Amino acid sequence: MKLDLPDFPWDSLAEDKALAAAHPGGIVDLSVGTPVDPVPDVVRAALAGPAAHEPGYPTTHGPDSLREAIAGAMARRFGVTVDPVAVLPTIGSKELVAWLPTLLGLGPGDTVVIPELAYPTYEVGARLAGTEFVRTDSTAALGPQRTALTWLNSPSNPTGRVLPPEHLRKVVDWARERGAVVASDECYLSLAPASQRAVSVLHPDVCGGSFENLLAVHSMSKTSNMAGYRGGFVTGDPSLVADLLEVRKHAGMMVPRPVQAAMTAAASDDTHVVAQAEVYTRRRARLRVALEAAGLRVDHSEAGLYLWATAGEPSRLTVRRLATQGVLVAPGEFYGPAGAQHVRVALTATDERIAAAAERLLEA
């Protein structure tokens, strides 16, 4: 039986990618948010350390040292106090996003709410579980409709928008009145400048000190350049995390032991996280000036890894036009119908390639 899943969006960029690659100066690929900067030395050393010599199976829950390091990072970086027992390592964050509705036992008859502009895997997760899904950023638009799971994402992929604590609190209160779970995708939270007041759903200003029915999903792919390691985690409501742990034990969904050690090192060191955030801040500023000079309007884009830009035309036309300059971006339609006239421009290219893209846009 074939699952009812959409085509993988990036496969449709093959012609544009070939066009961009034909540019005399080579392609600047800003279509995918995959890190290009070095993995921190402290992370690589931990990966090759004693854990690499352990022949046995890792535990699904991970060692105390990993969960304690993550709890410490949540406190230092985000002002959130979590019990290490309620920390669960995941194989990156994408697999958790894709399987969370299923892991929570949702299915036909349930409804998942995803942002109006959303990372495609939120929809895929609903489809894998056989649930309905609704795209909206407004709780009022849902009226009395019952929902089982609501996704939040701040800073947003693709828009870079930071949701204020007041908005997050409103969603949490609304969901709790209905007994729904709120899952907050916080993969880009460490890449938000202090001026933006980006907060976790687990922050007291949002949750009122109670983690009931709340889950926060984090990834080390962006902040620690560990996309190839597949290291992420989920934390929040202890009872929900315990339920997820039980299912994942049965399913064999465990992070390799050397990666668990690397994650411990990454969570224990804030210096490399701050440095990486500064790199993306510089790239953001340079690309934003160039995009605006080329006639595009940049919306939101306060934090995270992306600039959300529009030329006031169908996004595929903008993609093709930029590809002729050797710059490949993603059409906004990948993220929902509301993105039909925007493109997502990733900051994940080397400084040299970012400079090349900026120069070409300024010359356009």
Side-chain angles (χ1 to χ4, degrees):
M1 180 180 71
K2 189 177 186 300
L3 292 171
D4 179 24
L5 298 178
D7 293 335
F8 188 65
W10 280 267
D11 289 346
S12 69
L13 287 179
E15 290 186 9
D16 296 294
K17 186 172 185 177
L19 177 60
H23 190 278
I27 187 174
V28 181
D29 192 343
L30 307 178
S31 66
V32 182
T34 185
V36 298
D37 299 307
V39 177
D41 290 343
V42 66
V43 173
R44 293 191 293 109
L47 182 75
H53 303 279
E54 295 183 16
Y57 290 110
T59 62
T60 304
H61 206 188
D64 291 345
S65 56
L66 168 59
R67 290 181 279 105
E68 289 167 358
I70 289 173
M74 291 293 291
R76 294 191 313 273
R77 299 174 189 178
F78 310 124
V80 169
T81 300
V82 300
D83 186 338
V85 173
V87 173
L88 177 59
T90 61
I91 310 162
S93 60
K94 184 172 183 175
E95 63 93 347
L96 183 73
V97 171
W99 291 108
L100 184 60
T102 299
L103 294 172
L104 291 173
L106 306 187
D110 292 317
T111 299
V112 175
V113 179
I114 66 177
E116 186 174 23
L117 289 164
Y119 180 49
T121 310
Y122 302 138
E123 176 184 335
V124 168
R127 289 180 179 273
L128 287 172
T131 72
E132 300 296 322
F133 67 92
V134 177
R135 290 182 178 272
T136 184
D137 297 323
S138 169
T139 54
L142 292 166
Q145 182 173 348
R146 302 290 298 180
T147 62
L149 171 64
T150 296
W151 277 105
L152 292 169
N153 180 210
S154 175
S156 163
N157 173 12
T159 69
R161 182 184 182 188
V162 174
L163 297 175
E166 297 78 16
H167 178 84
L168 298 176
R169 179 63 183 259
K170 180 180 178 181
V171 174
V172 167
D173 290 344
W174 176 89
R176 282 177 170 166
E177 290 174 358
R178 291 156 177 77
V181 173
V182 174
S184 179
D185 180 348
E186 301 176 356
C187 292
Y188 303 99
L189 198 55
S190 292
L191 301 180
S195 61
Q196 292 300 325
R197 187 75 167 95
V199 298
S200 170
V201 75
L202 303 181
H203 193 280
D205 289 351
V206 175
C207 70
S210 169
F211 294 169
E212 181 185 3
N213 276 6
L214 302 182
L215 293 171
V217 180
H218 285 254
S219 169
M220 295 182 176
S221 295
K222 320 299 185 184
T223 54
S224 300
N225 297 325
M226 291 173 61
Y229 286 53
R230 309 313 303 132
F233 64 90
V234 61
T235 186
D237 185 328
S239 63
L240 286 179
V241 173
D243 290 344
L244 293 175
L245 172 61
E246 190 65 22
V247 177
R248 293 174 71 87
K249 282 181 179 179
H250 285 293
M253 301 173 80
M254 60 187 76
V255 176
R257 182 67 186 93
V259 175
Q260 292 178 355
M263 290 173 63
T264 303
S268 301
D269 177 66
D270 296 337
T271 303
H272 76 276
V273 175
V274 173
Q276 189 61 51
E278 291 173 350
V279 167
Y280 286 131
T281 296
R282 292 196 302 271
R283 290 173 181 165
R284 176 185 303 282
R286 184 159 196 177
L287 269 181
R288 181 168 194 144
V289 168
L291 287 166
E292 291 175 341
L296 282 79
R297 186 186 76 236
V298 176
D299 295 328
H300 303 302
S301 306
E302 298 96 354
L305 281 188
Y306 310 105
L307 290 163
W308 186 241
T310 180
E313 63 186 3
S315 62
R316 289 284 182 171
L317 293 181
T318 307
V319 170
R320 180 55 56 93
R321 190 154 48 81
L322 293 178
T324 63
Q325 298 172 259
V327 179
L328 186 65
V329 299
E333 65 189 53
F334 283 3
Y335 310 95
Q341 291 197 337
H342 280 76
V343 294
R344 193 194 74 169
V345 185
L347 307 177
T348 47
T350 64
D351 289 341
E352 182 274 330
R353 290 284 83 190
I354 292 288
E359 183 177 346
R360 294 173 194 179
L361 290 168
L362 289 169
E363 292 175 351

